[in-house]
Amino acid sequence: MRVYNFSAGPSTMPLEVLKEVQKDFLDFNNTGMSITEMSHRSKPFMEVNDTANALLRELLNISDDYAVLFVQGGASQQFAAVPLNLMTSGVADYIVTGNFAGKAQQEGAKYGTANIVASSKDKNFTYIPDVDKIKFTDGADYVHITSNNTIFGTRYTKLPKTSAPIVADMSSSILSEQINVNDYGLIYAGAQKNIAPSGVTIVIVRKDLLGKEKSFCPTMLSYAVQAKNDSLYNTPPCFSIYVAMLVFKHLKNLGGVKAIQEINQYKAKLLYDFIDNSSLFTNNVNKADRSLMNVPFVTPSAELDAKFIKEATENGLASLKGHKLVGGMRASIYNAMPIEGVKALIEFMKKFELENK
Ligand code: PMP
């Protein structure tokens, strides 16, 4: 039996896509071989690579001013790739809104001055600093933000106004709501939440930022090299790219990012409204900054949290344990989480609340 899987990543996938993968797994497009068995230079795979790229461009309305790269190493590798490629004058600004934002800043500091221009650490990352009040560094090479904070359940609803290019880690929010790619210098995201199995990392980079990497930048981390080679400089994560292509097609058929955004807003509102009216469960994130994707919540005690997680798991509601930095529970309700899954969670929470008053 399939369960409703609230994992923060790798996370639940659209069932239709999984079935398609299953159907085509042994014989992809009448080639007589699995997608996992063929050369990345073969025509069928090159078509997959090109189609995935074109579909992502279409879904996010990405202009020719940007290169779309499929790379490896996860978002964590981008914490280094970004400064290696973009920190040309040696200074960049970072807004630290969580664990991963902090890691990105620490990695940046290995290659130059990585200023923390704002942080929400004072309140355990339960809010996003007011971007209009931030003083950015003159001449900074970029301003790094984490659009959605997976562990703490916050998201930016407004971008900083700065002349430096904005670099955004969108690992846990890419394709969940409409964005204007032209507002960014670079966007990166690991696939394993809203897109595909882990393995591929998406990079969308403005072309005028290419080719300025540090002399010691590893070849594999050079955006210019990846762009010049259509992300096929070496063997790419073929299977992840293939599944990403299927997810992009699936999302397009659903009506694209606008349509999924409406569904995501609906799902998140159902859950937050329930929590806000509950006498047992609370979410302590600043309301205006609440994530549409990751919803942390607690009961009044760690014992009750553990009981909730145990009983929820027994009832087909999986992977609800919160991250260790926050404790309690976290429901990750990415694009592929059906509305029924959120409703099932709420019904279970209602029952648990009655039984544990
Ligand atoms: N950034 C964010 C916002 C994340 O949620 C994660 C992973 N949960 C990472 C970065 C690290 O990603 P990866 O494991 O792909 O390196």
Side-chain angles (χ1 to χ4, degrees):
M1 186 196 80
R2 280 183 61 81
V3 295
Y4 289 119
N5 173 10
F6 294 91
S7 170
S11 28
T12 194
M13 297 276 302
L15 187 56
E16 298 87 334
V17 169
L18 292 181
K19 283 185 176 163
E20 201 169 342
V21 172
Q22 187 180 43
K23 180 170 73 62
D24 292 342
F25 196 65
L26 298 184
D27 181 3
F28 176 68
N29 268 357
N30 298 318
T31 54
M33 59 176 93
S34 169
I35 190 82
T36 61
E37 297 174 304
M38 65 182 61
S39 165
H40 58 294
R41 310 267 174 217
S42 66
K43 196 162 172 279
F45 181 76
M46 301 268 260
E47 268 175 31
V48 166
N49 198 48
D50 291 345
T51 308
N53 200 302
L55 283 165
L56 183 61
R57 285 183 171 279
E58 193 180 334
L59 286 167
L60 287 176
N61 203 9
I62 303 172
S63 80
D64 286 343
D65 294 342
Y66 288 78
V68 172
L69 313 176
F70 298 148
V71 298
Q72 302 199 51
S76 302
Q77 182 81 290
Q78 293 308 309
F79 299 165
V82 165
L84 280 164
N85 283 273
L86 306 187
M87 220 191 231
T88 47
S89 77
V91 181
D93 286 350
Y94 283 78
I95 305 180
V96 176
T97 50
N99 185 49
F100 296 110
K103 286 187 171 170
Q105 186 274 333
Q106 282 165 18
E107 199 71 15
K110 292 186 179 174
Y111 303 105
T113 305
N115 292 316
I116 301 178
V117 286
S119 163
S120 49
K121 195 167 183 217
D122 57 339
K123 292 188 184 159
N124 200 27
F125 302 118
T126 50
Y127 69 101
I128 299 291
D130 182 350
V131 292
D132 292 336
K133 295 205 173 121
I134 299 174
K135 170 103 187 58
F136 294 100
T137 310
D138 282 343
D141 292 317
Y142 57 86
V143 174
H144 182 282
I145 65 167
T146 308
S147 303
N148 182 81
N149 295 279
T150 323
I151 296 175
F152 300 93
T154 59
R155 89 185 208 279
Y156 283 75
T157 51
K158 195 175 173 191
L159 287 179
K161 286 191 200 72
T162 147
S163 53
I166 295 177
V167 172
D169 175 357
M170 287 195 192
S171 291
S172 49
S173 59
I174 192 161
L175 294 169
S176 67
E177 57 183 334
Q178 289 182 297
I179 55 161
N180 182 358
V181 170
N182 297 326
D183 290 340
Y184 300 85
L186 187 146
I187 293 167
Y188 64 89
Q192 64 270 23
K193 299 164 197 303
N194 260 340
I195 298 180
S198 58
V200 67
T201 305
I202 310 291
V203 176
I204 303 165
V205 55
R206 219 171 61 207
K207 286 179 183 165
D208 65 309
L209 299 173
L210 295 177
K212 298 175 184 168
E213 63 268 40
K214 294 184 187 293
S215 58
F216 52 83
C217 175
T219 308
M220 275 294 290
L221 297 191
S222 157
Y223 297 136
V225 168
Q226 295 291 359
K228 191 162 160 259
N229 290 279
D230 292 328
S231 309
L232 295 174
Y233 175 76
N234 76 331
T235 317
C238 300
F239 182 68
S240 291
I241 293 172
Y242 158 70
V243 182
M245 176 194 75
L246 297 180
V247 170
F248 296 154
K249 273 189 189 162
H250 173 75
L251 188 51
K252 186 178 164 184
N253 291 340
L254 277 179
V257 179
K258 185 171 186 292
I260 201 76
Q261 175 174 344
E262 281 165 19
I263 296 172
N264 287 333
Q265 282 165 337
Y266 177 73
K267 287 187 302 193
K269 185 172 173 359
L270 280 182
L271 188 51
Y272 285 121
D273 280 353
F274 170 74
I275 293 172
D276 288 343
N277 289 311
S278 161
S279 55
L280 188 70
F281 299 102
T282 45
N283 163 284
N284 66 352
V285 170
N286 186 32
K287 281 192 181 167
D289 303 325
R290 282 171 162 179
S291 168
L292 295 178
M293 298 282 102
N294 310 97
V295 182
F297 56 96
V298 289
T299 70
S301 79
E303 291 71 38
L304 210 49
D305 289 348
K307 184 169 186 251
F308 177 85
I309 293 160
K310 180 172 175 287
E311 292 181 10
T313 310
E314 287 162 5
N315 283 273
L317 303 166
S319 320
L320 281 163
K321 194 171 187 320
H323 192 277
K324 59 181 183 302
L325 293 173
V326 177
M329 284 71 72
R330 171 179 48 173
S332 293
I333 50 174
Y334 296 120
N335 285 1
M337 172 56 65
I339 293 172
E340 298 74 47
V342 174
K343 287 188 173 162
L345 172 62
I346 293 171
E347 282 315 306
F348 180 76
M349 289 167 81
K350 274 186 195 160
K351 186 167 153 280
F352 188 86
E353 183 170 330
L354 279 176
E355 289 168 2
N356 292 278
K357 270 195 173 156

